[in-house]
Amino acid sequence: MTTSKVRAWPQIVLTGFMGAGKTTIGRALAAQLEAPLFDSDALIEDASGTRIGDLFGQLGEPKFRDLEHRCITAVAGRPGTILALGGGAIVCEATRASLRNCYIVYLEISPATSLRRIGDPSSRPLANTGELTQLLEAREPIYRSVAQLILPEQDEPPEATLSRLLAALPPVYHPA
Ligand SMILES: Nc1ncnc2c1ncn2[C@@H]1O[C@H](COP(=O)(O)OP(=O)(O)OP(=O)(O)O)[C@@H](O)[C@H]1O
Ligand SMILES: O=C(O)C1=C[C@@H](O)[C@@H](O)[C@H](O)C1
Ligand SMILES: [Mg+2]
């Protein structure tokens, strides 16, 4: 007889600034927990048929946030899954409300590391403004206020960050 895995744990949501590693760590975590991954930027690109870098400019931020909210709400709260957010998704109050039953992890990152990791800023429109530090300072209290778990930045490869995250997750996320 085969037994199917019961996926009762609350959805893990990764939030944090651009380049914090939400997508990278989300993929690795999904592989480790053998769980489906949603990435809100990818969902938006699929829904619109347009790259984020172009879409942001075409729509402007308010309309982009509306679309982002709809894409996130469609998958928010699904037990046993992982959701990597876009860096600014959490600034939208309605999006925060959609995530109220999730386990939210804030991946911290400094402005300097963010800039270094982003590399080509054309894919992240807001990285072009030259006001990265102010933007991060403005968002920091929001990231912090929604998070059940805050993972401080360390100079390490993604595999090491994944290990720290796995060790810090509550027992419900640990395989029996
Ligand atoms: N410890 C680490 N954790 C995560 N990513 C790391 C780490 N060290 C280096 N990186 C690199 O930093 C980059 C993180 O980019 P990633 O797209 O995952 O960020 P993001 O948080 O999803 O950004 P965005 O908000 O734009 O979606 C990747 O190129 C990854 O290889
Ligand atoms: O920090 C932000 O506001 C953004 C981050 C990216 O993930 C994308 O969602 C988009 O470039 C906006
Ligand atoms: Mg990402």
Side-chain angles (χ1 to χ4, degrees), residues 14-27 39-41 84-88 107 109 113 116-118 123-124 139 143 153-162 164:
L14 301 177
T15 190
F17 203 58
M18 289 172 266
K22 303 175 293 294
T23 296
T24 303
I25 299 300
R27 285 186 186 138
D39 189 304
S40 69
D41 283 339
L85 296 178
L107 299 176
I109 190 175
T113 309
R116 183 162 44 78
R117 285 196 189 159
I118 286 169
S123 62
R124 273 91 156 185
R139 288 181 181 174
Y143 293 134
E153 179 189 347
Q154 280 188 24
D155 186 11
E156 63 189 7
E159 298 73 31
T161 303
L162 174 67
R164 280 197 295 130

Side-chain angles (χ1 to χ4, degrees), residues 8 74 103 112:
Y103 187 84

Side-chain angles (χ1 to χ4, degrees), residues 1-101:
M1 192 179 82
T2 54
T3 52
S4 59
K5 285 184 183 166
V6 178
R7 298 291 196 180
W9 40 264
Q11 184 177 56
I12 299 174
V13 175
L14 301 177
T15 190
F17 203 58
M18 289 172 266
K22 303 175 293 294
T23 296
T24 303
I25 299 300
R27 285 186 186 138
L29 184 62
Q32 186 71 33
L33 297 181
E34 298 180 34
L37 169 72
F38 303 107
D39 189 304
S40 69
D41 283 339
L43 293 175
I44 292 167
E45 291 188 339
D46 287 350
S48 64
T50 310
R51 302 304 304 263
I52 293 286
D54 299 324
L55 191 66
F56 207 91
Q58 286 169 17
L59 295 181
E61 185 165 356
K63 284 196 177 131
F64 177 84
R65 295 290 169 221
D66 282 349
L67 176 58
E68 184 175 51
H69 168 66
R70 279 184 271 125
C71 289
I72 289 171
T73 301
V75 300
R78 288 194 196 174
T81 69
I82 293 157
L83 169 58
L85 296 178
I90 212 79
V91 302
C92 172
E93 191 179 348
T95 297
R96 293 200 294 278
S98 299
L99 301 172
R100 63 190 166 279
N101 294 322

